[in-house]
Amino acid sequence: MNSIFGDRKTIFILLAPALVLYTLLKVVPVGWSLGLSFFEGNSLRGFEWVGVQNFTTFFTDPAALQSMWVSVFFAIVATALQVALGYALALLYVFVLRKGSTLVRTLVFFPTVLPTVAVAMLFRSFVAVGENQGPINDIINFFGGESVEVLASTVGTMTTAIAMTLWSSMGFYAVLLYAGLLDIPEEVIESARLDGANGFKLVRHIVVPLSLPILLSSIIFSLNATLKVFDSLLALNGGGPGTSTAPMTLYMYRTAFEYAEYGYGSTIAVILTALCLVFTLAIFRSSRRKAEV
Amino acid sequence: MTLTHTDTAYTVATPTVRKTGPNRTRRGLTKALRRLPVWILVAVLMIVVLYPQVWMVLGSFKTQSEFLSNPALSLPETWNFDNYVTALTNGNVARNWLNSVLVTIPSVLLIVFIGVAAGYALEVMIWKGRNGVLLYILAGIMVPGQMILVPLFITYFRIGITDTLWPLIITYTVMGLPLTTFLMATYFRSVPREIFEAATVDGSGPLRSFFVIGIPMMKNSIITVALVQFFSVWNDLLIALTFTTRPDLATIQVGLLSLSDEYGSTQYGPLFAAVSINIVVLLILFLTLNKKIMAGMAGGALKG
């Protein structure tokens, strides 16, 4: 039996396409990019070995540091808010709406499948000002306020981007955490209730500790996704005003493909990858320490 | 434990004793009142989620003069489809849709077929080092797309396929493979081994078992994985923006991005129409398959 399931020819036929494609087009390019980060130039001009100069440039380049700050800020704020909001929604589904939550769950999830570019267009029109102004400014005018040009300021753009991210992802995190909450045995909650734990107390001392693993997975997933934010900030305001809301992904894209600085672009990509790893490991380690205590 | 038991028995017993007419209606009323904050909360939630989309779709029926003179909150005066016609003819939206379809369908088919085969080879087949290979493929999930863009761009340019849609199809396939392979391996793990062993006893080779038993048994999981990949390919901007060198190769997301620059401050109707086409088409797809989509996306996130 085992010899049949160990048939080398079959294994080769089934696995080779995936392994070859993955190695040639993912693993090799990752190594290549890593190597490119020590060079300067592009394929037309030629490459020149510069050692770690790209990395030192990065940490003295104000635009690069700004983009790193944007990425980290966006990742932390968006993660904190979307996981918290998703968790609140999941609690609402499980404990308040119970079996009647199907429709709400579906409708709140829907924006997740909408293309980020379309969502960005929608929010851009929503806060628009001028000849055709959006509902936000209409409401401000209705209460006697002056129209605000939200996307003209860094704070306004960032706020809109975060609101937009929350709008489109809260339903996703709600479903993710809802699945985790359903796994908590009914009896545990029931007996805690009878012991006098109710409402906030029940959530704080019973529900949160029991759903901690799925909460941590959500945080790691969310951090990894939001550190790579690209479409929403590009489509919302082009990383503007100026480049004040351009994340690392956008800075990397512009450096590599608009200014044809392949080497420096690769360096930014390497730092972004390292950042993703550091965030994930940090969360892992802090969770392990908590588990030991 | 015994105490708990009597407690529940007591609470269950009480309502039957109190089942008298007026008391019951008052209880019903207080219950409804206590539910009131919940209903308000749900209503607010629904408005927040639905209103922007409804507003966008309504806006796509407005004329330019309505945009300029009527407040944003008003309904369109007449339902005209001119904006859709303009968007589809002027704005290249039809071409963009075609490109997106031409890229997404082959990519998803390739991802799923190659991924399922690899998942089978890694989980059902027995050989030394398969865990190592699975881990090797799994590592790819962590790497951001930016990391492979420059080398792939150089390669595609050198082999001269930058004037086609192939760079997109190839890149999407590679980006989707790690997660798909990993998910399929997990799904195959939950199938009892006896089924494959029984097929072998009946004289089926492992490759035949893959096609005759593996794929049909995985039909549901394959659809779920395919849907998740469909949305990630269809909604992608980064890869499409990097590898589409000519406007007539642009996918719907790239088209939408350039449309906003083109129409930005002048023509709102066609822009709203272009976004609305997206919302409506994806809504129809979502409503028909929502359970599979939600389960697939959540599963992919947790395992990824």
Side-chain angles (χ1 to χ4, degrees):
Chain A
M1 190 70 74
N2 275 2
S3 69
I4 290 171
F5 283 111
D7 180 40
R8 285 183 183 277
K9 211 175 101 198
T10 312
I11 295 169
F12 181 79
I13 293 170
L14 292 174
L15 192 60
L19 216 51
V20 168
L21 268 179
Y22 174 71
T23 307
L24 279 183
L25 291 147
K26 187 119 195 189
V27 179
V28 171
V30 166
W32 189 342
S33 235
L34 214 61
L36 272 181
S37 64
F38 297 104
F39 286 88
E40 194 186 271
N42 60 46
S43 45
L44 291 176
R45 201 171 73 209
F47 290 99
E48 191 194 337
W49 170 267
V50 291
V52 293
Q53 193 197 304
N54 282 332
F55 289 89
T56 47
T57 309
F58 182 93
F59 290 103
T60 48
D61 174 1
L65 292 176
Q66 170 69 13
S67 74
M68 189 158 89
W69 164 241
V70 169
S71 289
V72 171
F73 175 82
F74 184 83
I76 290 173
V77 174
T79 295
L81 291 176
Q82 73 193 1
V83 173
L85 210 57
Y87 199 63
L89 281 173
L91 290 173
L92 177 81
Y93 297 165
V94 176
F95 294 111
V96 183
L97 299 176
R98 304 223 175 89
K99 290 209 164 59
S101 71
T102 322
L103 182 68
V104 179
R105 230 157 59 212
T106 308
L107 289 174
V108 179
F109 186 89
F110 174 62
T112 304
V113 303
L114 288 178
T116 323
V117 183
V119 175
M121 298 292 129
L122 200 166
F123 272 74
R124 215 165 90 166
S125 317
F126 220 64
V127 298
V129 69
E131 286 182 317
N132 163 40
Q133 73 177 11
I136 297 291
N137 274 313
D138 267 358
I139 291 168
I140 295 175
N141 290 352
F142 179 79
F143 288 107
E146 286 277 303
S147 292
V148 184
E149 202 161 336
V150 176
L151 295 181
S153 72
T154 309
V155 179
T157 306
M158 213 52 181
T159 313
T160 314
I162 285 168
M164 174 182 134
T165 307
L166 289 181
W167 182 78
S168 58
S169 66
M170 63 180 183
F172 170 78
Y173 286 95
V175 166
L176 195 70
L177 294 160
Y178 169 78
L181 288 183
L182 284 186
D183 284 344
I184 299 176
E186 194 86 27
E187 304 87 65
V188 177
I189 302 217
E190 212 39 59
S191 63
R193 272 216 176 104
L194 292 166
D195 287 341
N198 256 318
F200 183 73
K201 237 177 165 180
L202 183 75
V203 170
R204 167 77 185 79
H205 294 287
I206 308 292
V207 181
V208 171
L210 283 174
S211 53
L212 207 56
I214 195 153
L215 217 58
L216 281 170
S217 312
S218 309
I219 292 172
I220 292 174
F221 180 78
S222 166
L223 279 176
N224 268 308
T226 47
L227 267 176
K228 296 175 205 162
V229 60
F230 180 74
D231 340 24
S232 45
L233 285 167
L234 172 61
L236 186 67
N237 205 5
T243 54
S244 61
T245 61
M248 280 177 91
T249 49
L250 187 53
Y251 189 58
M252 181 270 163
Y253 176 82
R254 286 189 173 142
T255 308
F257 299 107
E258 279 172 25
Y259 306 119
E261 291 289 350
Y262 289 1
Y264 191 39
S266 296
T267 308
I268 302 168
V270 170
I271 293 172
L272 176 69
T273 310
L275 217 57
C276 288
L277 277 173
V278 167
F279 268 63
T280 307
L281 289 178
I283 299 282
F284 257 131
R285 285 198 52 178
S286 70
S287 73
R288 189 171 302 160
R289 201 169 306 144
K290 252 183 212 143
E292 275 165 11
V293 169
Chain B
M1 205 56 217
T2 35
L3 216 147
T4 321
H5 208 82
T6 43
D7 265 4
T8 21
Y10 176 73
T11 42
V12 167
T14 359
T16 44
V17 178
R18 285 191 191 161
K19 235 182 194 169
T20 44
N23 236 343
R24 207 173 157 200
T25 32
R26 201 188 303 151
R27 272 173 65 94
L29 199 69
T30 34
K31 208 179 161 195
L33 271 175
R34 267 189 26 211
R35 295 287 282 184
L36 195 65
V38 174
W39 290 121
I40 293 172
L41 190 69
V42 171
V44 170
L45 189 66
M46 286 297 101
I47 291 170
V48 167
V49 169
L50 295 175
Y51 180 70
Q53 301 172 59
V54 174
W55 174 77
M56 192 100 220
V57 176
L58 287 178
S60 69
F61 293 103
K62 290 183 183 175
T63 60
Q64 184 75 2
S65 64
E66 278 184 81
F67 271 117
L68 302 184
S69 51
N70 297 1
L73 297 160
S74 63
L75 291 171
E77 282 162 7
T78 50
W79 297 86
N80 60 67
F81 286 86
D82 296 355
N83 291 326
Y84 287 88
V85 177
T86 315
L88 287 170
T89 49
N90 280 2
N92 260 334
V93 176
R95 178 75 228 181
N96 296 338
W97 272 81
L98 182 66
N99 285 336
S100 273
V101 171
L102 286 177
V103 164
T104 309
I105 290 177
S107 306
V108 172
L109 286 177
L110 278 171
I111 294 172
V112 168
F113 197 74
I114 299 175
V116 173
Y120 185 88
L122 288 168
E123 188 53 44
V124 180
M125 304 299 285
I126 300 162
W127 45 289
K128 233 174 136 183
R130 58 187 179 140
N131 284 328
V133 173
L134 188 63
L135 216 64
Y136 170 69
I137 292 178
L138 195 59
I141 297 175
M142 295 273 294
V143 180
Q146 278 77 9
M147 201 62 191
I148 60 172
L149 286 186
V150 171
L152 289 184
F153 191 80
I154 296 173
T155 311
Y156 295 148
F157 193 77
R158 286 228 181 115
I159 55 176
I161 53 167
T162 37
D163 271 352
T164 62
L165 291 171
W166 282 107
L168 296 185
I169 298 173
I170 297 168
T171 316
Y172 287 136
T173 306
V174 169
M175 302 271 284
L177 267 182
L179 183 63
T180 308
T181 305
F182 179 65
L183 283 179
M184 288 319 298
T186 346
Y187 291 143
F188 274 119
R189 196 167 300 157
S190 59
V191 177
R193 278 206 72 82
E194 289 77 32
I195 292 173
F196 295 107
E197 286 170 358
T200 314
V201 173
D202 289 345
S204 160
L207 199 59
R208 208 185 121 97
S209 297
F210 169 66
F211 284 106
V212 181
I213 301 167
I215 292 185
M217 276 209 67
M218 286 285 113
K219 216 170 76 193
N220 270 324
S221 315
I222 290 175
I223 294 172
T224 309
V225 168
L227 279 169
V228 173
Q229 292 301 331
F230 168 83
F231 281 108
S232 78
V233 174
W234 185 266
N235 293 349
D236 168 78
L237 179 68
L238 178 68
I239 308 289
L241 203 60
T242 311
F243 297 126
T244 48
T245 40
R246 293 200 324 249
D248 58 307
L249 292 175
T251 61
I252 186 103
Q253 309 314 331
V254 177
L256 216 51
L257 193 67
S258 57
L259 200 67
S260 77
D261 297 334
E262 202 177 312
Y263 288 144
S265 55
T266 48
Q267 285 188 285
Y268 310 106
L271 178 68
F272 278 42
V275 176
S276 296
I277 299 172
N278 261 290
I279 294 181
V280 172
V281 172
L282 292 178
L283 180 66
I284 292 166
L285 181 67
F286 178 66
L287 287 182
T288 40
L289 292 159
N290 69 67
K291 278 210 181 105
K292 280 208 160 66
I293 295 169
M294 291 203 278
M297 285 190 168
L302 281 186
K303 279 156 188 151

